[in-house]
Amino acid sequence: MKQAFAVIGLIVAVHVAQSADQDVVVYSATPGGIAAAVSAAKGGMDVTLVEPTHRIGGLTTSGLSYSDFRSFEALTGFFREFADRVRRHYFETYGPDSRQVKDCWRGTLGEPEVNRRVFAAMLEEQGVKVARGRSLARLEFSDWRRGRRRIQAAVLRSSKGKELRVEAGAFIDASYEGDLMAMAGENFHVGRESRSQYGEPMAGDKQGRGDGQVQGYNFRFIMTQVESNKLMAPRPEGYRREDFAGVLRHFESGRLKKVFSPQRDGIFRAHLPMMP
């Protein structure tokens, strides 16, 4: 049975060649998006999960494999099932007494590719349709009724410009950026909220004030200490040694001591604990 969610937004009339009809459309295959899609499918819904890139899993499959949590007793629901499956992979692949089983930290610290495979299996088992490489182009809305309207359809565009129109009873924005929510005309704030806005004790800066700052971005990549698994990095096109030679003076001054370090004395910050 279809479910309608009221969302304020802008009316856009469009015509595209292809069309599909779903109960639920989830935008962005982040861990939260995958959890929403799997949960809706378990509830008997026809679900399409839309991912603008070609890789599902967000940060959890792209380098940030260590998940923040306070205690194992607090792990429930989708995340608990996910972690149990990751642990089972290492258990079955390397054996119950293996170092890999110990290092996966009950499945909460898996390799990005292992995490991706587990996510993919969970989606496939529930019959969730995954549309990769499609970004949100525009939204269509129903007519106003009692001061409200809902999203009627989303138009998705591939990297080659091909468009797909998807109608759904419910749309879930699971993206890190909140693109669908913003396109729907919902109010949003860029930056940190103040401590007083929602009563969150850890919100805002040290004085609890809000600001317009956003979280820093960086590259995360996987390295190894296993000699047989090492490869020499290819020389990038356009590489110029003189562009990076300035870092040597930081080694001379003692500010930097290593290339990789779990502390702040390295060029690259090694994230501990080590992955399996």
Side-chain angles (χ1 to χ4, degrees):
M1 183 176 180
K2 304 285 185 184
Q3 293 182 345
F5 284 67
V7 179
I8 298 175
L10 304 175
I11 295 178
V12 182
V14 296
H15 172 75
V16 289
Q18 295 183 337
S19 184
D21 189 13
Q22 293 289 278
D23 292 318
V24 178
V25 168
V26 180
Y27 186 67
S28 191
T30 60
I34 295 173
V38 169
S39 299
K42 285 184 177 180
M45 300 289 183
D46 291 326
V47 184
T48 291
L49 176 61
V50 180
E51 170 53 39
T53 72
H54 290 277
R55 187 175 181 86
I56 65 169
L59 294 175
T60 307
T61 64
S62 302
L64 188 63
S65 300
Y66 185 67
S67 305
D68 295 329
F69 59 93
R70 292 291 183 179
S71 68
F72 285 109
E73 292 76 16
L75 302 184
T76 61
F78 179 87
F79 184 76
R80 177 61 181 271
E81 181 182 353
F82 165 77
D84 287 345
R85 286 173 177 242
V86 172
R87 182 181 182 277
R88 191 184 314 141
H89 163 84
Y90 289 109
F91 186 97
E92 295 174 350
T93 304
Y94 300 100
D97 300 322
S98 64
R99 179 63 184 269
Q100 287 84 354
V101 169
K102 179 181 178 182
D103 287 348
C104 80
W105 200 237
R106 301 191 194 179
T108 63
L109 181 56
E111 298 163 88
E113 178 58 18
V114 172
N115 293 338
R116 187 199 64 79
R117 284 186 229 153
V118 170
F119 278 141
M122 297 176 79
L123 290 167
E124 184 177 358
E125 288 171 9
Q126 298 303 323
V128 175
K129 291 176 284 292
V130 182
R132 293 178 174 86
R134 288 189 177 272
S135 58
L136 186 63
R138 53 189 177 272
L139 299 175
E140 298 177 19
F141 299 87
S142 65
D143 294 333
W144 287 96
R145 182 178 296 179
R146 298 179 180 177
R148 298 186 67 86
R149 54 184 169 176
R150 67 176 183 88
I151 300 175
Q152 186 169 339
V155 179
L156 311 171
R157 181 179 295 129
S158 70
S159 59
K160 296 182 179 180
K162 192 174 182 179
E163 292 187 340
L164 172 67
R165 179 181 180 274
V166 183
E167 291 190 12
F171 289 83
I172 298 174
D173 188 345
S175 65
Y176 292 128
E177 300 82 8
D179 289 340
L180 188 147
M181 180 182 67
M183 192 175 290
E186 289 295 315
N187 294 326
F188 63 91
H189 171 76
V190 176
R192 298 182 293 186
E193 297 94 348
S194 66
R195 187 179 303 167
S196 61
Q197 186 166 352
Y198 298 108
E200 296 177 292
M202 303 298 291
D205 59 16
K206 292 182 179 180
Q207 286 74 43
R209 298 170 301 192
D211 55 38
Q213 297 187 36
V214 296
Q215 185 174 357
Y217 286 75
N218 57 38
F219 290 102
R220 301 186 68 94
F221 48 93
I222 309 304
M223 307 298 289
T224 181
Q225 294 176 315
V226 179
E227 289 295 334
S228 62
N229 199 28
K230 290 183 178 180
L231 294 173
M232 179 62 71
R235 181 187 181 96
E237 184 179 351
Y239 170 79
R240 300 185 340 134
R241 180 183 183 277
E242 55 268 31
D243 291 340
F244 303 92
V247 75
L248 296 177
R249 67 173 180 268
H250 296 296
F251 282 97
E252 294 170 350
S253 69
R255 180 181 178 186
L256 295 178
K257 297 181 175 60
K258 303 177 182 178
V259 175
F260 296 95
S261 173
Q263 307 302 324
R264 299 184 183 275
D265 58 352
I267 298 177
F268 298 103
R269 183 81 177 270
H271 196 295
L272 296 177
M274 298 291 188
M275 287 190 300

